[in-house]
Amino acid sequence: MARREKGGFWVGLAAAVFYPLTGIARRVYVGDEKIPREGPALLVLNHISHLDPVVDAVFVHRQKRVPRFLGKESLTRTPIFGKVFVGSGQIPVSRGSAAAGDSLKAAHQALQEGKVVVIYPEGTITKDPAGWPKESYTGAARLAIQNDVPVIPIARWGTSQLFNGYTKKFKPFPRKTITHNVGDPLDLSAYRGGSARSAAKLREVTQVMMDEVTRLLAEIRHEEPPAAKPGETA
């Protein structure tokens, strides 16, 4: 049996808060055994609610790993949570600034140190009323092809029914079900090496990752996804 990865005081504090919070919903984990119990991994997920990081943190922690999220730099300045964010080793992202590249450097380093990095390629919660993934940024693709680590697509569904980020409505009753559906590690070997930073290659890898996340989401929802992502033309 694999030992739990040590996270220190701040991770323990976050777990003490997050576990009871996520307990208001039923949890369904499909394929969670695919999360490596040791060594580096890049977890790629869809983003539908502001509750996602809390729910996903508990999901990863239940696999005996400590998640490292890329989050807005402004989170570091929030009371209490900012200390937890920094103290637990999360990675601040300064979007639209000269420091934006530093966040990816920190994520690269975390992977090289054998840690689990969690990323939402969409950047923000989807604006699609039906909750399907929108067009995504290429930062996740950079991490995926510049690091020879398992890249694992995961779809999660149910958090937006619990808390809708646009209506700001929190609906714990009736009790909701939150499902994580974990896919097989993606084979991105054909994209590594050569001109790994070309814009065309990064867009293609982003598409490969998010197509698989969307497929996994469709499995949870028992629905067909739209032919084009929000922001695209069919």
Side-chain angles (χ1 to χ4, degrees):
M1 182 178 293
R3 294 182 179 179
R4 179 177 295 281
E5 180 182 354
K6 294 182 179 179
F9 170 78
W10 290 108
V11 170
L13 177 61
V17 175
F18 290 173
Y19 271 71
L21 180 61
T22 59
I24 62 177
R26 300 183 187 89
R27 292 181 298 268
V28 175
Y29 297 160
V30 180
D32 52 313
E33 73 280 355
K34 298 173 186 176
I35 305 296
R37 296 307 190 260
E38 59 183 12
L42 179 64
L43 310 186
V44 180
L45 292 92
N46 61 316
H47 200 5
I48 53 177
S49 169
H50 296 301
L51 282 180
D52 291 344
V54 172
V55 169
D56 297 339
V58 170
F59 166 72
V60 175
H61 196 256
R62 284 183 175 275
Q63 314 315 313
K64 301 185 177 180
R65 301 304 306 270
V66 175
R68 270 75 181 185
F69 288 83
L70 280 79
K72 294 179 182 178
E73 188 274 337
S74 59
L75 292 173
T76 65
R77 300 191 296 274
T78 57
I80 302 177
F81 184 77
K83 291 185 177 181
V84 175
F85 185 90
V86 174
S88 59
Q90 307 311 306
I91 303 168
V93 178
S94 302
R95 292 177 184 159
S97 72
D102 291 342
S103 61
L104 283 185
K105 290 179 182 178
H108 283 297
Q109 182 176 348
L111 290 171
Q112 290 165 9
E113 292 174 353
K115 304 184 187 307
V116 170
V117 173
V118 181
I119 190 166
Y120 305 121
E122 297 166 88
T124 58
I125 61 176
T126 181
K127 293 180 174 60
D128 178 30
W132 294 102
K134 67 181 184 66
E135 279 196 280
S136 299
Y137 297 99
T138 58
R142 290 179 184 274
L143 291 173
I145 63 179
Q146 292 176 24
N147 295 276
D148 190 8
V149 303
V151 178
I152 302 175
I154 305 173
R156 174 241 315 99
W157 186 244
T159 48
S160 58
Q161 284 74 39
L162 186 61
F163 179 72
N164 186 303
Y166 292 103
T167 65
K168 307 302 181 185
K169 291 183 178 179
F170 180 63
K171 296 182 177 180
F173 303 107
R175 196 180 187 201
K176 308 301 187 293
T177 297
I178 298 174
T179 302
H180 285 78
N181 189 13
V182 184
D184 294 322
L186 297 171
D187 182 3
L188 300 176
S189 56
Y191 298 99
R192 296 192 173 106
S195 181
R197 300 188 183 188
S198 72
K201 182 180 286 187
L202 291 172
R203 284 194 298 271
E204 186 174 351
V205 172
T206 301
Q207 187 74 38
V208 168
M209 293 191 299
M210 292 310 295
D211 280 353
E212 183 61 10
V213 170
T214 301
R215 186 190 69 79
L216 293 166
L217 181 58
E219 284 186 354
I220 300 173
R221 297 175 58 171
H222 303 290
E223 298 174 18
E224 285 296 321
K229 295 180 177 61
E232 294 180 335
T233 55

